[in-house]
Amino acid sequence: IWVRPAGLERREWMVQQGFSVTTPTRTIAALASDRLDGGHLGRIAFDALARNLVTIGQVESALAGRADLAAILDQALGKVRG
């Protein structure tokens, strides 16, 4: 659990079961900015996409600027790179 006391816009968080939490898109962006490796980001994005919590466009925006964006998206979409 990371506590972020301020600095989030209203569209970046939501209330789930009585708790204020970041949206899935904001969580992916935060993990990407904290330099989480692409393999983990791909699995997280895959899970969020599979649960219809995000769109591929939201994932792309959250990961903008990552050199490994294509590999992460391939993993998130369930593709095996050959």
Side-chain angles (χ1 to χ4, degrees):
I1 296 175
W2 290 344
V3 177
R4 296 182 188 261
L8 295 176
E9 295 181 25
R10 178 58 186 103
R11 64 182 169 79
E12 296 179 304
W13 61 275
M14 61 189 187
V15 177
Q16 284 286 67
Q17 298 179 359
F19 294 95
S20 296
V21 297
T22 55
T23 63
T25 302
R26 179 65 175 101
T27 300
I28 292 169
L31 292 171
S33 71
D34 287 340
R35 302 271 187 222
L36 187 68
D37 70 87
H40 285 99
L41 284 171
R43 285 191 292 277
I44 291 165
F46 173 83
D47 190 44
L49 287 163
R51 295 174 185 221
N52 293 315
L53 299 174
V54 296
T55 65
I56 191 65
Q58 289 171 317
V59 172
E60 288 175 322
S61 290
L63 299 175
R66 290 281 301 221
D68 55 352
L69 176 61
I72 294 170
L73 290 177
D74 279 353
Q75 183 173 357
L77 295 172
K79 297 178 182 176
V80 177
R81 294 195 72 158

